[in-house]
Every structure is written in C-alpha cells, then in structure tokens.
Amino acid sequence: MRGFNNLLGIVSLAFFIGGCSSEKGGEEPHIGGALKVMIAYEKPLPPSDSVLIQVKRSDGKIMHTYSSISQIPATGIPLDLGEYTIEGTPTNKRLPLFNRPSYGGSCNTNLNKSEANVTLTLKQANVAVQVNYSEKFKSEFTNYTTTISSPDGSLTYGSKEDRLGYFTSGPLEIKLTYTDKQGVVQNKIQKIDATSKQIAPGSTLALVFSHPDEENGGGNYEAYYLNALGKTGIELKKALTTIISTGYQAKSYNDLWSAYKIGDIRTDGTGAIWDVYSDIPLGKAPYLYQPGQDQCGSYSGEGSCYNREHTIPKSWFNDDTPMYSDYLHILPTDGYVNGRRSNYPYGEVGSASWTSRNGSKLGSAKSTLGYNGTVFEPIDDFKGDIARIYFYFVTRYADVLSKYDANNGSTEEVFNSNDLGLDQWTINMFLRWSKNDPVSPKERVRNNEAQKFQNNRNPYVDHPEFIEKIWGSNASNTAAKSKMVKVYYKVK
C-alpha cells in the first residue's frame, strides 16, 4: 500500500518555447523603418488586455509601450534602423484564477530595411492545475474538496470542479479533504516545491486522487520521465536513453518464460498468452496458448507451441547482451510463425509468398516502401506495438548501435549509426504504424511488468508523443506545444 505522499506516475506531453520570426522587406535601407508586430499564441487567444507589449532598443531603452495587444498600430511601429527586443509581459499573473491563463514571451529582431514583419510568439506564463478523482474514490468517499495554495493565493476545487486553475509560482500546497466510509473527516496534505518541473511555466498539472485499493492509473514509475520534460529531437532521445538504461537489471533468457505469465496474459477470461502472430482482436483467434504448458519445444506447424520472438533478430546484434534477453523487445509468439519470419525485417508486403492463420504475411516488399527484399508484415492491430518496440530498441542501445549498422543480413537496411538510429524508410513506416495503431491496454500492462522484471520501461508506450518529437515532423520544432504532467496520489 502506498501512502498519500508517494508520487506514483508522471506523464508529460510536449514543452512550448516562445520566440519570434521575421521577414524583412524593402530594397534600400534608410534612416527609419516600421516594425509590424504580429502575435501568435500556443493556445486560444487570451483577453487582449492580459499582455503588456514593450519594444526595447539594444541598449535596453524602452522605445514603445502598449498596454494591450490591440494598441499595436496595424501600420507598424516607427523605429530607427537597428536591433530591438520585443517583450510581452503578462498583466494578470498574480491572482490565482480559474480558466485564466497568462501569456508572455520575447524575441529579438534587426530592423535593417524600410520595413520588417515580426511574429512574437507568446507562451503560457503560469501553471494550470486540474483536479480529478478516480471512480472508486468517488463511490466510497464523500464531501471531497481540494484546496491548492500558493504564495499568491489559493483556489478550492469542489467535487465537480473540472476547470483549470492557474497559479503563477510555487511552492504549491495541496490539501485534500474528504469523509471516509466510517464518517470520519480526513485531511491529506501534499507539497510541491517551487523549483519542481511539475509546475514549470507553461505546464498543466493534472492531480488524480485514487482509492487505496486501486492500482495507479499511470503506471508505477515515480518521476521516471522528469529529466525528459521540455526536450525535443535528439536531446529528448538522449535523455530517454539515460532514463531507460540507468538501473536496468539484466535477466536471463530463461527468465522470460516467467515474465510472460504475468505481463502477456489475455484479459478475455481465457488466461491465454497474447500472441501477436496468432491473435485476431476483432475476431476469433485460430488457437490459444496456456502459459507454461504450451512452451516450445519443437513445432510441426502453426498452433504447436509458443516461443520467444526477438522482434529485433538476435543475429542482427550478434547475440550480444543485455539485448539478448531484454523483455521489452522479445514477445511470446507462435513458434512456427516465428520461424517463418526468420530474420527478415518488418515491412509492408506487396506480394505475399506465405500468410499465417491470423493474416500476418511474408513476401516481397511493396514497391513504395523504400526497401527491396523480403519482409514480414504483422496484422494492423499489432503494427503499433512493433513500431514502438523498435523505437525503444534504438533508444535503449543507442551507444552500441553503430556496431550493427553494416552487419550481415538486414540490419544495414534497418539500423543506422546516426543519432536517429534507423534508416529513413523504416522511420517513415514505423511512424505510420504507431499513429494508426495507438497504444493498447495490453502494451501498458506489459510495460508495468517490464519495470518489475528488469527495472525499465518503453517510453514510447507511456508517451507515444515522444515518437513524433524525435522522428516525426515536430522533431526539429523547438516551438512545440504545451506540456502536461499527470500526478497520481493514492490516499492511505
């Protein structure tokens, strides 16, 4: 049983960074010019009177001040040529309020022509806090409220208050009050330090209070991704490499059988093993395997037994450890289908030479894939699982991946020694697969077992948005979106 003060989970989205961009016009420089300022926001437009705009010269002298955005002249701000800083300062930032974000930001520009167009991007300057209660908590406890106090004041969230409250700074004191089943009024207090990244400007903090008998909804990973908050691109990938490698506990290959009995069990009442090569989520699986008793062994065809499938074939990494027995990329699958897949890369089949009973295919790659050769294609329901496993592997083993880039077999067409870790055709395909097949409860259960089993997690199951931030179109976009932190508290 975990106490109220135990932080059980942390989930983050992207982190928004403000800035400005400019386009300069005119042909001949002259003594003066006009700076046209356009305003962009990370979220819907706030009240126009909530931001003070100042234009400062390079020596710090304030040249123009506008008490609201609407006061900025549409024809442009008259200025001498030179370098300037445009600053937006929130004017409603002190008092905690519901549904009232504040915005701020700054950027530099060089007015060296008769006219320049500048976009000042304003980001959220305070932290938003939302309070939630689990269904079991609400069914057994009554009269529950949460009061959040800050140096600037406090807000009280009633049992049905689902609006966001906005706070300028920490520390925050969170006081939960409720009446338990015995009619006793309980008061629980949690504090968040002013320096905590959970309440960084621009973030959204979702507090979730759960019943003592519940499993935590976000997985048992205490502050696991804290050092990844606010990062994008390769910086994010490197941070995740450190997070999922630190404290990793290598297990034996034989230990995987025991892990499968906990982390890979179907929830349909059969007690059978999840098998991505035989299951049909929207239909009836052609065969089921019971944990332990149906382990391979030898097989004569489909349905004989299940074994341990290295989704990244072990020949690709020379049977090296610890990846040889890394639970997060070794799935229980039908032995015969596993054998037919062999060490071919995953791909999209143009012409199938063999099809399994659940629809998985082996054959030549389709012409538009970007790869020429034989590939194995799982059914659509499990393509996202495979994609997120590959993104995990090249993150977890980024430091040694260059050894396998040009090895024999298919790795020279899959792995890449650059920072992204994968060849571009593979990235393109896995981005599609992950997007079209979102994270399932099956993957989350498996991820929780991975932490118990080998003390690490697949970050792309917990945070699929990380994939886009590293390999997708947003990878180089530092002006990403707002970040969310979800914190689970279990009352004692």
Side-chain angles (χ1 to χ4, degrees):
M1 195 66 63
R2 297 181 181 273
F4 173 79
N5 290 335
N6 193 9
L7 174 64
L8 295 181
I10 203 168
V11 179
S12 67
L13 301 179
F15 181 58
F16 185 89
I17 299 175
C20 66
S21 58
S22 63
E23 297 179 1
K24 303 174 182 64
E27 296 299 327
E28 298 296 331
H30 56 78
I31 193 169
L35 187 68
K36 292 187 176 181
V37 179
M38 291 153 283
I39 306 296
Y41 299 91
E42 58 168 305
K43 291 182 178 180
L45 188 70
S48 61
D49 62 351
S50 64
V51 183
L52 177 74
I53 303 293
Q54 290 185 321
V55 180
K56 297 181 179 180
R57 206 166 57 189
S58 57
D59 60 4
K61 181 179 179 180
I62 298 174
M63 305 302 295
H64 295 276
T65 297
Y66 304 97
S67 60
S68 68
I69 294 169
S70 60
Q71 290 184 357
I72 300 175
T75 56
I77 302 170
L79 293 167
D80 291 335
L81 302 185
E83 295 184 355
Y84 296 91
T85 297
I86 303 96
E87 293 182 349
T89 304
T91 55
N92 65 335
K93 66 180 182 178
R94 300 303 299 176
L95 183 67
L97 294 168
F98 282 114
N99 288 349
R100 188 67 182 271
S102 60
Y103 291 80
S106 68
C107 63
N108 300 318
T109 189
N110 183 12
L111 180 60
N112 58 11
K113 301 279 185 178
S114 60
E115 182 179 286
N117 298 319
V118 180
T119 299
L120 171 63
T121 304
L122 299 175
K123 63 179 180 177
Q124 183 186 316
N126 50 10
V127 57
V129 183
Q130 186 177 55
V131 176
N132 304 278
Y133 309 90
S134 72
E135 291 304 315
K136 188 173 180 62
F137 181 100
K138 292 188 289 187
S139 68
E140 295 200 12
F141 301 141
T142 58
N143 303 323
Y144 45 90
T145 62
T146 300
T147 298
I148 302 177
S149 301
S150 76
D152 304 315
S154 62
L155 290 177
T156 296
Y157 297 68
S159 60
K160 295 182 179 181
E161 179 61 78
D162 58 1
R163 292 180 298 171
L164 293 172
Y166 288 87
F167 298 82
T168 301
S169 61
L172 298 184
E173 180 182 276
I174 303 159
K175 182 180 180 181
L176 170 67
T177 301
Y178 64 95
T179 302
D180 64 20
K181 290 190 296 183
Q182 288 72 41
V184 178
V185 176
Q186 302 284 350
N187 291 292
K188 308 292 183 181
I189 294 177
Q190 171 73 24
K191 293 184 178 181
I192 299 178
D193 292 338
T195 58
S196 173
K197 291 183 179 181
Q198 297 172 23
I199 55 174
S203 65
T204 298
L205 175 66
L207 302 174
V208 184
F209 296 106
S210 60
H211 190 276
D213 295 340
E214 289 183 286
E215 292 293 329
N216 65 87
N220 183 14
Y221 44 103
E222 182 176 348
Y224 195 64
Y225 298 108
L226 191 60
N227 290 331
L229 298 185
K231 295 180 172 64
T232 58
I234 300 305
E235 183 187 16
L236 171 59
K237 182 171 177 282
K238 290 180 177 180
L240 293 174
T241 296
T242 300
I243 289 169
I244 64 178
S245 302
T246 302
Y248 177 88
Q249 298 173 356
K251 299 290 184 172
S252 73
Y253 190 52
N254 195 56
D255 287 335
L256 294 173
W257 295 121
S258 298
Y260 291 160
K261 294 177 183 179
I262 302 172
D264 295 87
I265 302 299
R266 297 165 63 102
T267 57
D268 57 2
T270 63
I273 290 284
W274 277 111
D275 173 9
V276 299
Y277 291 169
S278 65
D279 188 63
I280 304 176
L282 298 180
K284 183 178 180 181
Y287 45 84
L288 295 174
Y289 292 126
Q290 293 303 312
Q293 66 190 59
D294 291 326
Q295 292 175 195
C296 295
S298 59
Y299 49 81
S300 57
E302 278 196 70
S304 298
C305 57
Y306 72 94
N307 64 6
R308 296 158 291 189
E309 162 72 304
H310 287 83
T311 58
I312 290 81
K314 52 190 174 66
S315 62
W316 292 8
F317 53 81
N318 301 325
D319 292 5
D320 287 344
T321 57
M323 57 279 286
Y324 184 83
S325 58
D326 186 338
Y327 172 75
L328 280 170
H329 86 99
I330 306 175
L331 303 176
T333 64
D334 178 85
Y336 180 78
V337 183
N338 186 347
R340 292 301 300 259
R341 185 251 166 154
S342 185
N343 66 345
Y344 295 114
Y346 291 106
E348 294 167 350
V349 172
S351 177
S353 58
W354 179 82
T355 302
S356 76
R357 290 169 64 182
N358 87 326
S360 300
K361 295 180 288 188
L362 182 72
S364 56
K366 68 179 186 180
S367 59
T368 57
L369 186 62
Y371 173 79
N372 295 318
T374 301
V375 295
F376 184 87
E377 182 176 0
I379 64 174
D380 291 346
D381 300 88
F382 298 116
K383 285 179 177 176
D385 304 50
I386 299 299
R388 287 179 283 274
I389 286 172
Y390 269 70
F391 288 131
Y392 161 81
F393 190 90
V394 298
T395 302
R396 170 67 180 88
Y397 301 107
D399 59 333
V400 295
L401 205 61
S402 60
K403 294 195 306 181
Y404 314 125
D405 180 15
N407 279 359
N408 295 327
S410 300
T411 53
E412 60 184 310
E413 302 290 350
V414 175
F415 293 151
N416 196 301
S417 59
N418 65 21
D419 285 333
L420 294 177
L422 292 165
D423 280 357
Q424 192 60 49
W425 76 269
T426 316
I427 293 173
N428 296 340
M429 180 183 70
F430 284 153
L431 284 172
R432 289 195 305 274
W433 286 14
S434 184
K435 179 180 179 180
N436 294 335
D437 175 33
V439 176
S440 64
K442 164 189 176 295
E443 292 175 84
R444 296 188 184 98
V445 170
R446 195 168 207 275
N447 218 22
N448 290 339
E449 173 58 19
Q451 184 172 31
K452 297 174 186 176
F453 179 69
Q454 60 188 35
N455 199 39
N456 80 334
R457 305 179 68 84
N458 182 339
Y460 308 112
V461 171
D462 293 326
H463 296 285
E465 74 278 2
F466 284 170
I467 294 173
E468 181 70 19
K469 292 175 67 178
I470 297 171
W471 290 277
S473 58
N474 290 338
S476 60
N477 180 12
T478 55
K481 302 168 186 174
S482 65
K483 110 187 144 188
M484 175 179 285
V485 176
K486 185 175 286 186
V487 179
Y488 292 82
Y489 296 119
K490 185 179 292 186
V491 301
K492 188 175 181 180

